Amino acid sequence: MFSSGEYAAGATVPDTKLAREATDLVRDSTTELIYHHSRRVFWFGSLQGRNRGLSFDPELLYLGAMFHDIGVNRQFRSSGRRFTALHPRPDFKRRILQAFTKGIAAKPETTFGNVKADVLEQFLPGYQRANFVDMIENSDWWPE
């Protein structure tokens, strides 16, 4: 059931017929996990847009967020038309790794504990992975 005008952190779910129908369709045809993930995509996208001073159509953002992962649902996966076949990804492996590297090279400290450390270790000369033990031993949290 759609709750019109839901508001959080300065963003409001659009209260339009199309938004309500999209909500109902996604809720009825996907898992709770996908439904809530899609809603979070809208909230985070709205907040990022606002924080960056961007103008955007909230209804269009909501629809894009709600439908962006609907293809993982079994009903849509088995349609016989594979999404990747419709939208080829030439040289995808190399290009996605380049995009990750470019996106995180300037902030390597954000890679601690996640797979992006693997990317920088492979593609950023001089990158040195943070070590949890070293962090504890060199911290000033507890005096010796």
Side-chain angles (χ1 to χ4, degrees), residues 2-15 35 39 42-44 46-47 50-51 56 58 62:
F2 180 84
S3 298
S4 63
E6 289 178 89
Y7 178 85
T12 304
V13 171
D15 186 16
Y35 168 77
R39 300 272 290 188
F42 167 74
W43 296 114
F44 290 135
S46 295
L47 296 175
R50 185 183 71 201
N51 290 342
F56 58 93
Y62 185 76

Side-chain angles (χ1 to χ4, degrees), residues 28-82:
D28 293 344
S29 63
T30 66
T31 64
E32 284 292 307
L33 177 73
I34 296 296
Y35 168 77
H36 289 294
H37 163 71
S38 299
R39 300 272 290 188
R40 284 190 304 274
V41 168
F42 167 74
W43 296 114
F44 290 135
S46 295
L47 296 175
Q48 283 296 314
R50 185 183 71 201
N51 290 342
R52 294 178 182 197
L54 303 175
S55 64
F56 58 93
D57 180 328
E59 182 183 52
L60 185 58
L61 176 62
Y62 185 76
L63 295 172
M66 292 306 290
F67 288 119
H68 85 278
D69 271 340
I70 202 160
V72 302
N73 183 351
R74 180 170 301 171
Q75 171 188 354
F76 300 106
R77 265 195 327 242
S78 61
S79 69
R81 296 184 68 185
R82 293 185 44 102

Side-chain angles (χ1 to χ4, degrees), residues 90-112:
D91 201 21
F92 178 77
K93 291 177 185 178
R94 184 185 61 79
R95 292 172 61 209
I96 193 66
L97 290 171
Q98 284 178 340
F100 284 151
T101 303
K102 183 179 179 183
I104 58 177
K107 48 186 178 187
E109 69 283 358
T110 66
T111 65
F112 180 72

